[in-house]
Structure formats: C-alpha cells, structure tokens
C-alpha cells in the first residue's frame, strides 16, 4: 500500500509586512533542502506542492484533489475539511481547544494512524 502525498499551503507570495522576499520560493527551498523531493527522503513531486493565497482556496484545493486524509496545524482548517474527508489536527503542544476533531501531536503517531 502506498500513499500519494501532496502539500497544500495557504501562503501569500510575499510577506504582508517587513522585507519583501518570495515566501513560496523560500518554502520550496526548505522542502528541497530537507529531502522532501528525494526518493530517499519523502519522495513528494514538486508538482504536488500547491500554494494558495487564502484558507478558503486551500480548503477548496483539498476538496478538488479528493484528499482522503488531510493533516494541518490549524484547527479551523480541520473543522472545514472534516466535512468531506478525514482531518487530523497536528497539535504537538496540545493547544487545540476544539474537542470534536481528531488531534495527533507527533508525526510518528500520524504515521501509525495512516
């Protein structure tokens, strides 16, 4: 059994305040540096990384791609995606106040769940 992993992020192209640099390019650089695109690492394809400018666009993309499971650190995203797929709130510090969502605080536990 193999899983197809995609990354869907709501990230503006440039910061709202401060120095003007491309946040999306910086994120792709970080993913590349940390072996997300290597077969020896996570093995995600660069074409499977989606940047959206708003949370609404992000949620629409999750729905459009037909994700079965979606992991996010924002509980408000999980509340919305739970309406059409299995949402997991990545909550390593146990800060989520929402009781009606699935919360997992460790990537190893998420791997076991999957």
């Amino acid at each position: 059994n193999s899983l197809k992993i995609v990354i869907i992020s709501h990230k503006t192209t440039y910061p709202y305040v401060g120095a003007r640099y491309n946040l999306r390019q910086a994120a792709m650089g970080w993913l590349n540096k940390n072996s997300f695109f290597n077969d020896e690492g996570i093995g995600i394809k660069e074409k499977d990384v989606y940047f959206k400018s708003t949370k609404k666009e992000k949620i629409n993309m999750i729905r459009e791609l037909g994700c079965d499971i979606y992991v996010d650190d924002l509980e408000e995203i999980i509340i919305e995606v739970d309406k059409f797929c299995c949402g997991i709130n990545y909550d390593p510090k146990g800060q989520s106040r929402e009781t009606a969502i699935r919360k997992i605080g460790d990537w190893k536990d998420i791997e076991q769940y999957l």
Side-chain angles (χ1 to χ4, degrees), residues 38-99:
N38 298 343
D39 288 335
E40 302 80 34
I42 296 177
I44 297 173
K45 306 293 183 217
E46 287 189 41
K47 69 177 184 63
D48 291 326
V49 177
Y50 302 89
F51 293 112
K52 299 297 170 186
S53 296
T54 67
K55 291 176 187 175
K56 182 177 181 180
E57 289 175 358
K58 176 181 182 172
I59 292 164
N60 287 341
M61 178 58 71
I62 296 165
R63 185 187 323 263
E64 182 180 316
L65 291 176
C67 296
D68 295 314
I69 299 170
Y70 192 79
V71 179
D72 202 289
D73 63 334
L74 297 175
E75 59 187 21
E76 65 260 33
I77 298 293
I78 298 305
I79 290 166
E80 290 301 314
V81 301
D82 261 349
K83 295 173 183 174
F84 58 87
C85 79
C86 174
I88 298 173
N89 180 214
Y90 175 63
D91 186 24
K93 295 181 180 177
Q95 296 176 322
S96 176
R97 292 192 173 98
E98 181 60 48
T99 58

Side-chain angles (χ1 to χ4, degrees), residues 4-33:
K4 179 178 180 181
I5 299 172
V6 299
I7 295 174
I8 306 167
S9 173
H10 74 279
K11 183 176 295 307
T12 58
T13 305
Y14 300 103
Y16 289 116
V17 295
R20 185 169 170 83
Y21 63 95
N22 190 313
L23 295 168
R24 295 175 180 185
Q25 282 181 346
M28 289 298 282
W30 185 90
L31 292 168
N32 190 44
K33 179 181 173 187

